[in-house]
Amino acid sequence: MPIDMKVLMNHIYEYKKGVRRMVLFTFNKKYESFAVNRLKRQNIHFLLQPVDGERMNLFFGRPECLEAIRLIANKPLNQLTPEEDFILGTMLGYDLCAQCERFCERKCRSHAISA
């Protein structure tokens, strides 16, 4: 089994055990059918988003979280506003203090560009 799919299996395990409520997994799209079939078999809600010609973002988790993702991440992730990026990172369970630092850096940078 390719390492990407081992990582996916670990994410699924953590989700099923309640360690995570939502996961973002970026992988080579050649494994798309494997990933989708695995999630469907386990009745896990998911959302796929193309990154580029070779990679996909796979969000999976609680339906209410995915509905928020549909509203927030409706464009490439590198085009999210600092606020959208902060919300997404927080939803994914990333370190809150690191997310605050990232938000402040991105917000200051966007103000400097527009000034």
Side-chain angles (χ1 to χ4, degrees):
M1 179 180 292
I3 190 72
D4 279 357
M5 294 304 96
K6 288 180 182 179
V7 171
L8 173 64
M9 301 304 288
N10 187 63
H11 286 321
I12 291 171
Y13 173 81
E14 289 179 349
Y15 172 73
K16 301 277 280 186
K17 290 294 184 184
V19 174
R20 301 170 179 256
R21 298 209 186 275
M22 193 176 75
V23 174
L24 167 57
F25 176 62
T26 303
F27 66 101
N28 189 303
K29 73 191 257 181
K30 69 183 175 184
Y31 301 118
E32 180 179 350
S33 63
F34 176 87
V36 166
N37 289 332
R38 177 64 83 166
L39 294 172
K40 284 181 177 179
R41 278 195 310 268
Q42 297 197 30
N43 296 313
I44 298 174
H45 297 272
F46 65 92
L47 172 67
L48 278 170
Q49 186 182 69
V51 174
D52 55 31
E54 294 182 16
R55 296 176 299 150
M56 302 286 293
N57 281 334
L58 174 63
F59 293 93
F60 65 90
R62 303 279 305 259
E64 58 272 23
C65 295
L66 292 174
E67 189 54 37
I69 293 302
R70 281 184 186 89
L71 298 171
I72 294 169
N74 55 6
K75 56 191 161 208
L77 298 184
N78 65 349
Q79 293 177 12
L80 295 178
T81 66
E83 292 81 5
E84 292 165 335
D85 181 80
F86 178 81
I87 293 167
L88 177 61
T90 304
M91 289 176 66
L92 288 165
Y94 297 166
D95 178 83
L96 181 59
C97 294
Q99 284 303 115
C100 290
E101 288 176 9
R102 179 179 168 90
F103 171 76
C104 291
E105 288 171 12
R106 292 189 74 215
K107 194 70 175 178
C108 290
R109 191 174 19 181
S110 69
H111 281 304
I113 292 170
S114 63

